[in-house]
Amino acid sequence: MFCHLRPWRRFCLEKILPHWFHYSRALSGAEAVNALRPFYFAVHPDFFGQHPREREVNENSLKRLSVYLENLQKPGFKSLKPTPLTFYVRETDQNPSDGQEPFSSPGFRAVKFTLHTRDLLSTVLYILNSCSLSVEHIQSMNTNVHSQPLKETKRMSDRPIKWDKSYYSFTGFKDPEEDLEQVSRIETTLKSWLDNNGKSAVKKLKNSLPLRKELDRLKEELSHLLQLSDIRWQRSWGIAHRCSQLHSLGRLAQQNLETLQKAKGCTVIFTDRSGMSAVGHVMLGTMDVHHHWTKLFERLPSYFDLQRKLMLLEDQISCLLGGIQVIYIEELQPVLTLEEYYSLLNVFYSRLLKSRAPFHPRSLRGLQMILNSDRYAPSLHELGHFNIPVLCDPANLQWFIHTRVQQARENMKRKEELKVIENELIQASTKKFSLEKLYKEPSISSIQMVDCCKRLLEQSLPYLHGMHLCVSHFYSVMQDGDLCIPWNWKNGEAIK
């Protein structure tokens, strides 16, 4: 790792960080993934279902991290562009290290760091240490590691010492000056970013057009053949990947059409696991083989029976709670199967029956609630629905809802008004810039989208002509040419 250093510099580094020189064998890609398991478990988007903004930030940061790790493993790479990342880390018993932000929401904290490491090992250690996660398990992965405790590799606190640039290059620790320079490069204007990236996006979009047409054709043919309501994707897979998934489903339909037609009227979603979702969509796990998909379609009649029982259970809960509607919002809740969601509803219903909290019949009609399994206190969402914990005390629940009924109705009315304004602004922006498509990521609220579109309409942006524009939390050109811009861009710098 340091064989190319001059002897005097190598000697100095050994004195500063002796434990780094015991890692004589570099990590493989598989070992790096295994070493990062605690990190992936702490930041996985599926654990942030009730926090859509944080979930989207983690999902986007994981994509950028994946690209960084892939580039590290490419033969002959010279240097990598410093990559700033933000993750929301699920809180553990450990205390956050110095330099990290305080809790931004119950149960997790925000961590920001910039990757400028040059090998997998230092990258893995730097990520784990930045997130205050243990690195002890890495010792067992390398037989040449010294017995000295790995916790010594934790990030050093700020102190008035100016190290040589080589120190930051080889340890992976933050160089404050470089971080400041990188931030100034990142926080650019919308126009300058489009000037620098517009041509690249146009080229990628042009190259993707044949595949986009193929995707539309495959989707239409399969929807018609299987009489589906829709075909969707839970993840932001590229067009080529989506076409491949549709080809797989098409081959299965040719082999067993009668079985697959049991999904008539359903929405099919390609996702991480197979089953039926809480809202009744047929989920096809992209890592599963055709045999698993076939078994799922064969079981659909039993799933439909369970779905009817679930809807009855929702109605029974509604009757006990004054007519409030029990809903499931895919963008705001964890991805649950039908069985998992039914179990949650059943637990909540049993607790309500025992308490018999008095709600006046139909007093809460027109209001909505969602059930949460990872909360301990009820809350009112800005969109107007109530977040109710499954294990919430019924007496406290009654008091909480009754004291916020008026606010909930006002929030719901405001939501509908915002939705109308949002749609009008999307249409106006699409027309003004001759966009092929304007859309937003699920974590972008109507308020954010309205603010973004209002300011876009004041600009002259010729690069947007014919493009696919996505309103997100960061700047990016996607692999198929879609342009992502942060909702909070400014004529000057983007708000952090």
Side-chain angles (χ1 to χ4, degrees), residues 397-414:
L397 174 62
Q398 181 190 13
W399 174 85
F400 181 84
I401 291 180
H402 280 157
T403 57
R404 288 164 176 81
V405 167
Q406 186 58 36
Q407 184 63 52
R409 296 193 187 280
E410 292 175 3
N411 287 3
M412 291 188 71
K413 182 180 178 182
R414 177 60 176 159

Side-chain angles (χ1 to χ4, degrees), residues 11 24 37 44 55 57 84 105 135 169 218-219 230 240 245 287 294 296 322 350 370 375 419 428 465 478 480:
F11 174 75
S24 58
R37 283 185 183 279
H44 197 286
R55 179 179 67 182
V57 168
S105 282
V135 295
S169 299
L218 289 170
K219 183 176 176 181
D230 194 12
Q245 292 162 353
M287 299 302 291
T294 303
L296 168 62
S350 298
I370 65 174
R375 285 177 177 265
K419 197 64 184 174
H465 181 82
M478 298 177 71
D480 295 304

